[in-house]
Amino acid sequence: MTPLIATLAACALTLSIVHSRGLPESSDKLEACGQHYGALLKASTTWNEKECNGSTKLAACVVSEHEQAYRELKQRCQEAHDERTAKVNAIYEKLPAYLSEVSARVNVLQVSLQHDLPNLQEMVGEQRHLIEQAWQYGAQLQHELMLTSMESDRVQRALVLHSMLVNASLAEMVKESYQTHGADGRMVARMLKFVRLVPGADERVAVYKQLAELLKSNGQDGRFPAVIFSTDVRHLEDRYKPDHAQYEGKVVERWLAELQAGTFHEVVEFARDYPEYFARVEEPLYEALKQQWSAEGLDRMVSFPNALPVGVQRVRALRALLETLLQHQGEQNNDVYLIRLAHETGRVEATVGQADAAVRQALDDVKKLFEQFKYQRGFPDYEALYKLFKGL
């Protein structure tokens, strides 16, 4: 029995070592795909904090150095996975020989050990099944942790976990998350944030193609995540160019209708929570306002600038309203609107700090627009008229 037990013990020990190398642990000595975990964490920090044109905001560009390092890591992970699988298969290929040796020893020991052979075979089979289950469970756990990290906005952790996954499609994982959380715009925005920071350009393109369909599947193509999608995917136009009119264009059209109806909530919320993306959509939004002019719509939009959360947004909105009114000045009595807009401009001015020179200069430029109407009154005149009429 001693040689038999020693043989089986050696086999089991070898299997446990091979499989355990594929499971993540919490240790200072932990390695992943032949690279120390600390180095991997450092790399993911670089990906998470990448700069595009000197800024980390809306950093959706492709950094070739990051992409190359990411590809090499994914390749090492795949090679480690393949090597581990090959070792396990090689060990299991030797098992029949081990069992034949057991059978020979049983024959020598005759009846006393013959009844142990089926039990030994069953034990080996059970151990293999248990080890494979543990291996699969570890991979599934890593998969779930990656999705949970992405969905909870722990982007760096999600990048680390995803970079170590093999035989896993990011597009399919995002689809899985979307099927659960796709109705929540903020959750979709988190998915887009994670995808934006993935170093691999081709992988991102595959996910964006998937998201293009997912956004359409439940109407998110007409809501604020579509603005984020359109803005981010423009950095990959040489590889993938969706019809932005079906995404950002839809949102602009719907938002304009809401603004002209006097409903500001969604636009203001987006401007507050995603100011960089709002800055990208302001121009098409205000240009659409000039093209789809109505005096009734402007009447409801006069208070819109002061509903916005920050000074620079308020000033740009004021400029858009005044430029729209100027472009259509022959279609209505302008003084009524100019008096109200002068009051709104004064309210904006009261919120702009002296230290914010750029916004204050932009506001001074807006005031000069009042002089360009045919009545040739300046901003102070209209502001005084508002106070006069209010006093009456």
Side-chain angles (χ1 to χ4, degrees), residues 293 295 298 325 328-335 337 374-375:
W293 160 259
L298 177 64
L325 187 61
H328 298 273
Q329 64 174 315
E331 302 175 30
Q332 69 284 311
N333 180 2
N334 298 303
D335 271 357
Y337 300 105
K374 62 182 179 180
Y375 298 110

Side-chain angles (χ1 to χ4, degrees), residues 367-374 376-379 382:
K367 290 179 183 179
K368 294 175 183 177
L369 292 174
F370 285 89
E371 303 169 4
Q372 298 181 24
F373 289 82
K374 62 182 179 180
Q376 296 184 339
R377 296 189 183 99
F379 164 74
Y382 285 110

Side-chain angles (χ1 to χ4, degrees), residues 284-340:
L285 179 62
Y286 296 147
E287 188 60 34
L289 172 64
K290 295 174 184 178
Q291 300 303 319
Q292 300 180 38
W293 160 259
S294 76
E296 295 80 6
L298 177 64
D299 183 63
R300 299 186 187 100
M301 285 185 66
V302 167
S303 60
F304 169 63
N306 276 292
L308 290 166
V310 295
V312 65
Q313 295 170 346
R314 295 168 189 159
V315 172
R316 286 198 289 255
L318 279 170
R319 172 175 284 279
L321 292 179
L322 282 164
E323 288 179 345
T324 301
L325 187 61
L326 186 61
Q327 182 174 318
H328 298 273
Q329 64 174 315
E331 302 175 30
Q332 69 284 311
N333 180 2
N334 298 303
D335 271 357
V336 175
Y337 300 105
L338 290 170
I339 290 170
R340 293 173 62 195

Side-chain angles (χ1 to χ4, degrees), residues 54-243:
S55 174
T56 58
K57 295 180 179 179
L58 305 187
C61 61
V62 177
V63 180
S64 58
E65 294 85 354
H66 296 179
E67 184 175 20
Q68 181 62 28
Y70 176 74
R71 286 178 177 172
E72 290 173 357
L73 175 62
K74 296 292 280 187
Q75 180 62 31
R76 286 198 301 272
C77 287
Q78 184 65 56
E79 290 172 356
H81 177 273
D82 294 344
E83 180 183 357
R84 180 179 60 191
T85 302
K87 286 182 179 179
V88 170
N89 290 338
I91 290 170
Y92 284 126
E93 286 176 2
K94 295 178 181 179
L95 284 178
Y98 291 149
L99 293 176
S100 295
E101 183 181 349
V102 170
S103 180
R105 292 178 184 276
V106 168
N107 288 333
V108 172
L109 296 175
Q110 296 181 347
V111 179
S112 62
L113 289 180
Q114 280 184 351
H115 69 280
D116 289 337
L117 182 57
N119 293 333
L120 291 171
Q121 291 174 321
E122 183 179 356
M123 181 184 71
V124 170
E126 287 178 354
Q127 288 300 314
R128 175 174 183 171
H129 178 67
L130 289 172
I131 291 173
E132 288 179 343
Q133 276 191 324
W135 193 1
Q136 292 169 3
Y137 175 75
Q140 182 62 29
L141 180 61
Q142 189 174 347
H143 173 100
E144 295 295 336
L145 282 173
M146 178 265 166
L147 288 181
T148 301
S149 298
M150 177 183 71
E151 292 162 358
S152 61
D153 204 25
R154 300 181 68 180
V155 177
Q156 184 175 358
R157 183 183 184 190
L159 284 169
V160 170
L161 291 166
H162 173 63
S163 65
M164 293 188 295
L165 281 172
V166 296
N167 299 329
S169 165
L170 181 58
E172 288 302 313
M173 286 192 287
V174 170
K175 181 180 179 180
E176 178 184 338
S177 180
Y178 195 97
Q179 288 172 339
T180 303
H181 302 291
D184 186 337
R186 293 184 180 277
M187 294 297 285
V188 178
R190 288 179 178 180
M191 297 176 205
L192 287 163
K193 179 181 178 181
F194 172 75
V195 175
R196 182 170 71 247
L197 295 172
V198 170
D202 291 339
E203 195 170 15
R204 284 176 61 194
V205 167
V207 179
Y208 285 137
K209 289 180 178 179
Q210 177 77 271
L211 280 167
E213 298 303 318
L214 291 172
L215 290 170
K216 288 183 177 181
S217 70
N218 65 343
Q220 291 286 14
D221 56 333
R223 309 195 73 82
F224 79 85
V227 174
I228 300 175
F229 169 80
S230 280
T231 301
D232 288 350
V233 82
R234 282 190 173 96
H235 289 269
L236 297 166
E237 282 191 339
D238 58 328
R239 302 165 187 256
Y240 173 54
K241 190 174 182 179
D243 182 1

